[in-house]
């Protein structure tokens, strides 16, 4: 409902392209720019990085010069190259983990919503159990016991993260499962898999996409936190989290070195959040219109 | 100002135009060139199908539009002042104390966290018209006038503690609290049962007459507006079709569209003679069912239905008629009794039935908007049962979908559309096609026309009848609209509180001697005569036959 007098809309519409049929907000455009730049850097790292990931090219903590734009790190490796390769590891890992956690979480969440009370109770209790322990400590224990190989890291974080996806997708699916077209499919005799895949999933996409963006950020920060504690990506591979850890003491000596990877993490998080905010806004637009 | 306005006019709407104005520029026009004047104490009925612009005009009288819409032309003059030229503060003062609104869903309009009294008194106290004590006293008086039970203590209840009909009347008290000059009723009785509707309608009329308040009464039901309005405006697609005195509109409408609305609806149709010796298609034998083994919702119900029959199950909301459908389908397992389909017992649970049994009973739902998956094309929606039950090739499925679309009078090109691109009536046709795709023996129709406009609903009923003649399918027709039952069903079952009150051939059940509850239901269906409400009220006062059955 709106009053009869309308606030005139800003007339810069031609500046703002559309995505999914909705005009992008200014922040969303900034977000997309940040994310695209990061992804390009990650994908092209081996070609655009001036030096190798772990090549020692000079003295430790050398100042920036025309060949080494950001200077050298604690072992004399080129910081810019490490940043680019770090983007590759950090973003790639986050993406794989988020995809995996979503596959697990959505499947379990939808199954809990439609497959009947007992499966729902079982899955929900398991998830409650996992959520009752702080995630970082849970991961800490598992990784300490099983070691810090990349596959172990991926599966551990994905499983822990899928509990949150589970809760969202179960709630979303519960709302859809009571609608009559789902009942019609049940009455037709359709199996569980069809109901999940054809009836519920296509209608649950908008909130899940928004959540994907958020979880991607959290995963990113989580890996950074684990790397910072020495349980994430292992040397000599670069990743932004472990770079912050390795360089952290230099901040006391007046060097900006640890701020570069930390800033990159912050920037990407902000960028993704801008896009997610916009997606949530266009998703919620459809609601509340009926008076 | 318009030439038509005179001193007695409290609201003058002149050449009103309302458009959708969104991010993407100007959208469709919702209301175009509508003008009328409302005198003090006069009731103007706004009538039309959904999308006619009735509610949009009603809201405009309060200086509101729906989100994304804008008043782009004309004047709305209230007591000599144009609402569009008022300051925001003046408009705020106008709402509630000058013009008040009564919405369709009272349950959604009350805040569940506050008592009714607090909410009724809010407007006069906030607007500084009355002191808190005075407002309370006035509210009690209004409750009394509206025939609410225990008017002294009624206000201390919370919205969920009173019935739907009572809450709707409490909302009228809330609107009336600040003694507005105009009340805007927006389909206030549409969500109520017929028996409740009579009482609420009578209360509203009494309230308006006693206070001499002018009103805009918005409804899609001409029979309802006939009871309450002095003049009637017929709207269609945002344009005024006809404006006249209520008697003139009902008895001698000038326009073709109004004539169609007023005309007695399609007469009854013939039914196939019962085939002797053929066993009944569906036999429901002393079936009972309950929710969570606690509340008995179906109590010892028996029915029979033959091929080509239409059995109407009627009753008010909460009578268990939709639950009966769920029990037959198997969504709610029965606890006792037996259901036989084609002489074989159906298992209580849906999951235990085989594909062939599932195929032979199909269902059509009340709300076409949620009955179709918005992400599937019509080809997917209609083609899925064909593929699922009959194992056809892609080409065969496509041919069958086209054939079904033709049967429901939709062009083949619609196959690639999504439900969002269809009107309500078209969606309901697609639901019918989806049911037919399974080639069923029995289709359960759960209030299939109640979410549709009157004329569209008629077309759906006609389509269902034609399909029945062609395919000899039986219908179990759940409805609260007794007006249609006589015309479409050869058998009827009247339900009340989970029990079968009366059942048998329609001609027998709907003819004297009636069961008292059947009589109450039948007498509550509004008729398109101006004196109908008076007659019903007089009759009930004289002979409170069904008094014990009536809701409070």
């Amino acid at each position: 409902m709106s009053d009869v007098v309308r606030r005139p809309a800003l007339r810069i519409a031609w500046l703002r392209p559309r995505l999914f049929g909705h005009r992008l907000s200014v922040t969303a455009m900034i977000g997309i720019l940040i994310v695209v730049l990061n992804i390009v850097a990650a994908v092209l790292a081996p070609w655009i990085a001036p030096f190798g990931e772990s090549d020692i090219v000079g003295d430790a903590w050398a100042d920036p010069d025309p060949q080494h734009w950001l200077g050298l790190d604690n072992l004399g490796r080129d910081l810019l190259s490490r940043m680019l390769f770090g983007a590759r590891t950090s973003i790639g890992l986050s993406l794989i983990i988020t995809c995996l956690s979503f596959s697990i979480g959505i499947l379990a969440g939808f199954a809990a919503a439609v497959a009947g009370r007992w499966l729902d109770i079982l899955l929900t209790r398991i998830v409650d159990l996992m959520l009752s322990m702080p995630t970082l400590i849970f991961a800490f224990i598992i990784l300490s016991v099983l070691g810090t190989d990349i596959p172990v890291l991926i599966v551990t974080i994905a499983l822990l993260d899928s509990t949150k996806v589970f809760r969202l997708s179960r709630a979303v699916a519960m709302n859809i499962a009571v609608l009559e077209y789902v009942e019609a499919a049940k009455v037709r005799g359709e199996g569980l898999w069809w109901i999940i895949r054809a009836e519920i999933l296509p209608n649950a996409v908008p909130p899940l996409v928004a959540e994907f963006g958020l979880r991607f950020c959290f995963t990113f920060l989580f890996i950074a936190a684990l790397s910072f504690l020495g349980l994430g990506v292992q040397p000599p591979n670069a990743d932004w989290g472990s770079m912050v850890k390795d360089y952290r003491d230099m901040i006391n000596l007046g060097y900006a070195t640890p701020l570069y990877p930390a800033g990159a993490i912050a920037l990407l998080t902000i960028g993704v959040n801008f896009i997610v905010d916009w997606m949530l806004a266009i998703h919620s637009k459809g609601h509340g219109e009926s008076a | 100002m318009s030439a038509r306005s005179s001193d007695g006019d409290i609201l003058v709407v002149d050449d009103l135009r309302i458009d959708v104005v969104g991010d993407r520029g100007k959208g469709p026009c919702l209301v175009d060139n509508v003008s009328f004047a409302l005198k003090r104490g006069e009731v103007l009925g706004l009538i039309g199908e959904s999308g006619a612009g009735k509610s949009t005009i009603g809201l405009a009288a309060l200086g509101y539009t729906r989100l994304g819409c804008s008043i782009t032309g004309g004047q709305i003059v209230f007591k000599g002042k144009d609402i569009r030229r008022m300051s925001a503060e003046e408009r705020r003062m106008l709402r509630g104390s000058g013009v008040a609104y009564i919405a369709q869903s009272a349950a959604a309009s009350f805040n569940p966290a506050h008592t009714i009294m607090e909410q009724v008194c809010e407007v006069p106290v906030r607007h500084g018209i009355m002191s808190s004590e005075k407002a309370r006293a006035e509210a009690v008086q209004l409750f009394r006038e509206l025939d609410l039970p225990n008017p002294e203590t009624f206000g201390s209840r919370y919205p969920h503690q009173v019935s739907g009909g009572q809450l709707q009347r409490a909302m009228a008290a809330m609107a009336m609290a600040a003694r507005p000059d105009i009340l805007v009723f927006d389909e206030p009785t549409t969500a109520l049962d017929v028996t409740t509707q009579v009482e609420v309608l009578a209360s509203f009329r009494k309230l308006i007459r006693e206070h001499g308040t002018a009103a805009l009464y918005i409804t899609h039901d001409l029979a309802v507006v006939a009871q309450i309005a002095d003049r009637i405006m017929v709207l269609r697609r945002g344009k005024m079709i006809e404006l006249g005195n209520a008697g003139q509109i009902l008895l001698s409408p000038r326009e073709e569209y109004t004539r169609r609305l007023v005309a007695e609806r399609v007469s009854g149709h013939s039914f196939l003679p019962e085939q002797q010796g053929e066993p009944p298609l569906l036999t429901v034998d002393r079936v009972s069912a309950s929710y969570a083994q606690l509340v008995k919702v179906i109590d010892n119900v028996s029915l029979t239905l033959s091929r080509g029959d239409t059995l109407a199950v009627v009753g008010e909301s909460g009578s268990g008629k939709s639950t009966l459908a769920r029990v037959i389908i198997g969504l709610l397992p029965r606890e006792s009794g037996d259901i036989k389909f084609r002489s074989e017992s159906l298992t209580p649970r849906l999951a235990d039935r085989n594909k062939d049994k599932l195929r032979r009973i199909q269902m059509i739902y009340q709300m076409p908007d949620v009955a179709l998956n918005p992400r599937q094309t019509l080809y997917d929606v209609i083609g899925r049962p064909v593929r699922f039950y009959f194992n056809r090739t892609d080409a065969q499925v496509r041919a069958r979908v086209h054939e079904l679309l033709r049967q429901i009078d939709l062009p083949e090109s619609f196959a690639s559309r999504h439900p969002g691109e269809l009107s309500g009536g078209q969606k309901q046709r697609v639901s019918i096609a989806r049911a037919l795709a399974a080639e069923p023996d029995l289709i359960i129709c759960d209030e299939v026309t109640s979410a549709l406009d009157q004329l569209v609903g008629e077309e759906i009923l006609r389509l269902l009848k034609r399909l029945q003649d062609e395919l000899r399918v039986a219908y179990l027709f759940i409805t609260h609209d007794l007006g249609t039952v006589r015309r479409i069903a050869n058998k009827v079952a009247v339900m009340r509180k989970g029990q079968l009150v009366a059942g048998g051939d329609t001609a027998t059940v709907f003819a004297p001697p009636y069961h008292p509850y059947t009589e109450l239901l039948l007498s509550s269906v509004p008729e398109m005569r101006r004196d109908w409400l008076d007659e019903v009220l007089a009759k009930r006062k004289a002979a409170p036959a069904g008094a014990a059955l009536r809701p409070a």
Side-chain angles (χ1 to χ4, degrees):
Chain A
M1 195 88 61
S2 63
D3 213 326
V4 281
V5 179
R6 287 174 57 87
R7 190 164 42 93
L10 247 64
R11 285 277 154 243
I12 51 159
W14 56 273
L15 273 173
R16 294 158 49 198
R18 289 159 181 281
L19 192 65
F20 309 129
H22 293 269
R23 210 172 284 288
L24 286 169
S25 67
V26 176
T27 48
M29 286 196 295
I30 297 172
I32 289 174
L33 187 73
I34 294 171
V35 171
V36 166
L37 278 178
N38 270 289
I39 290 175
V40 167
V43 171
L44 300 181
W47 294 278
I48 58 171
F51 301 95
E53 189 174 4
S54 44
D55 295 350
I56 293 167
V57 293
D59 297 333
W61 305 122
D63 283 328
D65 58 49
Q67 273 79 49
H68 314 96
W69 291 357
L70 298 180
L72 303 182
D73 74 352
N74 53 346
L75 299 177
R77 296 169 294 193
D78 179 48
L79 195 59
L80 180 64
S81 306
R82 299 270 299 161
M83 287 286 295
L84 291 171
F85 279 103
R88 202 178 168 81
T89 320
S90 291
I91 296 173
L93 266 184
S94 298
L95 210 58
I96 294 169
I97 290 169
T98 317
C99 288
L100 190 63
S101 76
F102 265 72
S103 310
I104 301 168
I106 289 175
L107 210 62
F110 284 7
V114 291
R117 247 177 75 223
W118 289 111
L119 186 70
D120 186 23
I121 290 173
L122 182 75
L123 287 171
T124 313
R125 291 298 153 261
I126 292 174
V127 166
D128 284 350
L129 201 70
M130 287 172 78
L131 285 170
S132 64
M133 224 185 289
T135 324
L136 193 62
I137 294 176
F138 208 138
F140 206 92
I141 296 168
I142 295 175
L143 291 173
S144 310
V145 174
L146 296 178
T148 50
D149 296 336
I150 294 284
V152 175
L153 190 72
I154 289 173
V155 174
T156 307
I157 303 178
L159 268 178
L160 289 174
D161 230 22
S162 67
T163 56
K164 281 140 196 165
V165 182
F166 169 86
R167 287 168 66 92
L168 176 78
S169 49
R170 176 175 168 274
V172 170
M174 285 250 174
N175 279 334
I176 298 172
V178 296
L179 295 179
E180 282 162 354
Y181 58 83
V182 180
E183 189 183 302
K186 275 187 200 161
V187 169
R188 192 158 64 225
E190 299 280 7
L192 196 59
W193 177 238
W194 169 274
I195 290 174
I196 288 178
R197 187 182 61 79
E199 306 290 344
I200 294 182
L201 185 62
N203 292 291
V205 164
L208 290 175
V209 165
E211 179 74 3
F212 187 91
L214 282 178
R215 292 250 69 88
F216 175 77
C217 286
F218 288 140
T219 312
F220 198 83
L221 297 173
F222 195 64
I223 299 172
L226 281 177
S227 301
F228 187 81
L229 293 170
L231 285 168
V233 179
Q234 297 303 307
N237 288 342
D239 100 278
W240 292 347
S242 51
M243 285 165 74
V244 177
K245 181 194 70 171
D246 290 345
Y247 311 150
R248 63 170 188 250
D249 293 333
M250 297 310 290
I251 201 91
N252 297 329
L253 304 173
Y255 285 84
T257 325
L259 294 183
Y260 297 128
I265 294 171
L267 195 66
L268 185 63
T269 309
I270 290 168
V272 172
N273 272 301
F274 276 164
I275 302 175
V276 168
D277 284 348
W278 173 75
M279 280 181 171
L280 287 175
I282 60 169
H283 176 232
S284 63
K285 226 177 225 173
H287 303 283
E289 270 185 354
S290 51
Chain B
M1 197 176 289
S2 162
R4 279 184 301 273
S5 74
S6 66
D7 291 342
D9 292 341
I10 190 141
L11 181 77
V12 179
V13 171
D14 193 30
D15 196 18
L16 182 68
R17 185 185 167 94
I18 298 171
D19 288 286
V20 173
V21 181
D23 281 354
R24 305 177 190 193
K26 211 162 176 178
C29 175
L30 298 181
V31 172
D32 187 18
N33 190 19
V34 168
S35 307
F36 62 86
L38 189 65
K39 289 189 180 58
R40 271 180 202 283
E42 185 189 41
V43 180
L44 175 66
L46 298 179
I47 187 146
E49 303 182 358
S50 54
K54 340 181 264 298
S55 297
T56 313
I57 294 171
L59 286 173
L62 288 104
Y64 276 123
T65 61
R66 289 215 175 87
L67 199 67
C69 305
S70 189
I71 298 174
T72 47
Q75 287 179 312
I76 307 161
V77 182
F78 174 74
K79 281 187 177 174
K81 267 189 142 176
D82 189 352
I83 290 179
R84 293 181 69 202
R85 286 174 211 283
M86 285 183 184
S87 69
E89 181 59 22
E90 277 179 303
R91 264 201 302 276
R92 196 177 70 77
M93 290 308 292
L94 163 85
R95 294 171 191 147
S97 57
V99 187
Y101 184 75
I102 295 164
Q104 176 171 355
S105 167
S109 305
F110 274 95
N111 184 338
H114 296 284
T115 61
I116 289 171
M117 181 60 90
E118 284 175 52
Q119 300 182 61
V120 169
C121 295
E122 189 180 350
V123 174
V125 173
R126 293 282 299 174
H127 280 272
I129 298 168
M130 295 176 198
S131 68
S132 184
E133 293 73 37
K134 177 114 190 326
R136 276 167 186 275
E138 292 278 326
V140 170
Q141 181 57 31
L142 281 170
F143 293 153
R144 191 169 292 125
E145 286 170 20
L146 284 158
D147 302 314
L148 286 163
N150 309 321
E152 280 78 18
T153 54
F154 181 81
S156 61
R157 297 202 222 169
Y158 286 89
H160 66 270
Q161 292 172 319
V162 305
S163 74
Q166 290 168 358
L167 200 58
Q168 202 70 45
R169 278 180 273 172
M171 191 147 122
M174 181 158 77
M176 203 63 199
R179 300 280 180 264
D181 299 291
I182 302 173
L183 285 174
V184 178
F185 292 90
D186 195 350
E187 304 259 14
T189 63
T190 308
L192 303 174
D193 282 316
V194 272
T195 52
T196 320
Q197 174 171 284
V198 175
E199 323 270 327
V200 173
L201 213 53
S203 300
F204 284 172
R205 199 175 60 171
K206 194 169 131 204
L207 186 76
I208 297 171
R209 289 196 179 158
E210 279 175 9
H211 291 269
T213 313
L216 290 176
Y217 199 98
I218 297 162
T219 178
H220 67 280
D221 191 341
L222 203 48
V224 165
V225 85
Q227 311 311 321
I228 204 159
D230 302 309
R231 288 195 299 152
I232 295 175
M233 178 192 257
V234 182
L235 291 154
R236 191 185 193 194
R237 293 182 195 144
K239 287 200 167 54
M240 188 176 84
I241 299 288
E242 194 167 355
L243 172 65
N245 289 326
Q248 178 256 310
I249 296 274
L250 293 170
L251 297 173
S252 53
R254 279 188 223 103
E255 299 296 324
E256 169 60 24
Y257 179 69
T258 318
R259 261 197 288 277
R260 271 168 59 208
L261 280 180
V262 174
E264 195 57 43
R265 293 177 280 180
V266 280
S267 53
H269 39 236
S270 59
F271 291 90
L272 302 168
E274 222 162 300
Q275 304 280 319
Q276 290 300 318
E278 192 179 349
L281 182 67
L282 178 79
T283 315
V284 176
D285 187 20
R286 290 175 307 225
V287 163
S288 296
S290 61
Y291 284 126
Q293 276 106 48
L294 291 172
V295 195
K296 204 156 218 184
V297 278
I298 297 291
D299 191 2
N300 206 16
V301 170
S302 302
L303 301 167
T304 55
L305 184 65
S306 302
R307 224 163 234 291
D309 267 354
T310 300
L311 167 68
V313 181
V314 298
E316 299 180 71
S317 53
S319 63
K321 47 192 197 308
S322 291
T323 313
L324 181 64
R326 294 175 67 80
V327 171
I328 295 171
I329 287 275
L331 283 166
L332 180 70
R334 62 179 183 265
E335 279 162 359
S336 63
D338 192 20
I339 299 177
K340 279 201 168 71
F341 186 71
R342 300 170 84 232
S343 307
E344 282 177 67
S345 182
L346 284 175
T347 58
R349 286 168 50 83
L350 174 76
D352 304 329
R353 297 183 186 173
N354 65 27
K355 237 183 187 181
D356 187 60
K357 284 219 176 85
L358 293 173
R359 176 182 73 77
R360 288 173 184 276
I361 305 179
Q362 290 293 315
M363 189 143 177
I364 306 171
Y365 294 90
Q366 176 176 5
M367 309 290 284
D369 294 328
V370 288
L372 305 175
N373 189 333
R375 304 275 167 169
Q376 291 176 353
T377 62
L378 300 198
Y379 173 74
D380 296 328
V381 170
I382 303 172
R384 179 62 192 171
V386 181
R387 206 184 298 268
F388 184 76
Y389 291 124
F390 302 106
N391 238 336
R392 300 271 169 83
T393 64
D394 281 0
Q396 284 170 323
V397 171
R398 191 161 291 277
R400 179 82 176 117
V401 169
H402 287 166
E403 184 191 337
L404 284 162
L405 281 172
R406 274 198 305 280
Q407 269 184 327
I408 56 164
D409 300 325
L410 289 182
E412 289 178 7
S413 59
F414 270 44
S416 58
R417 293 205 185 183
H418 286 89
E421 299 166 77
L422 304 183
S423 70
Q426 288 171 334
K427 279 183 212 165
Q428 200 59 294
R429 281 163 192 270
V430 173
S431 295
I432 294 172
R434 177 174 64 185
L436 288 179
E439 299 174 23
D441 297 321
L442 170 65
I443 298 181
I444 297 178
C445 307
D446 190 356
E447 302 267 11
V448 288
T449 58
S450 59
L452 302 173
D453 288 318
Q454 185 189 324
L455 295 176
V456 179
E458 287 298 320
E459 281 167 26
I460 294 289
L461 291 180
R462 228 175 269 138
L463 172 68
L464 284 170
K465 180 59 200 159
R466 200 190 77 212
L467 294 168
Q468 186 172 48
D469 292 342
E470 285 170 18
L471 307 166
R472 234 180 138 238
V473 54
Y475 294 132
L476 185 80
F477 207 94
I478 296 163
T479 182
H480 69 272
D481 179 6
L482 284 100
T484 60
V485 172
R486 225 190 279 260
R487 295 179 291 113
I488 57 151
N490 59 335
K491 287 185 176 176
V492 64
V494 183
M495 287 189 73
R496 180 165 187 266
K497 293 183 177 165
Q499 287 174 324
L500 203 64
V501 172
D505 289 339
T506 311
T508 324
V509 175
F510 281 7
Y514 302 105
H515 181 279
Y517 184 67
T518 314
E519 187 172 9
L520 172 68
L521 279 180
L522 282 172
S523 70
S524 302
V525 178
E527 289 171 30
M528 244 177 250
R529 294 183 284 120
R530 297 218 61 198
D531 45 6
W532 170 79
L533 186 61
D534 296 315
E535 276 175 27
V536 173
L537 293 173
K539 209 184 284 175
R540 287 197 183 165
K541 204 173 268 178
L549 299 164
R550 270 207 299 276

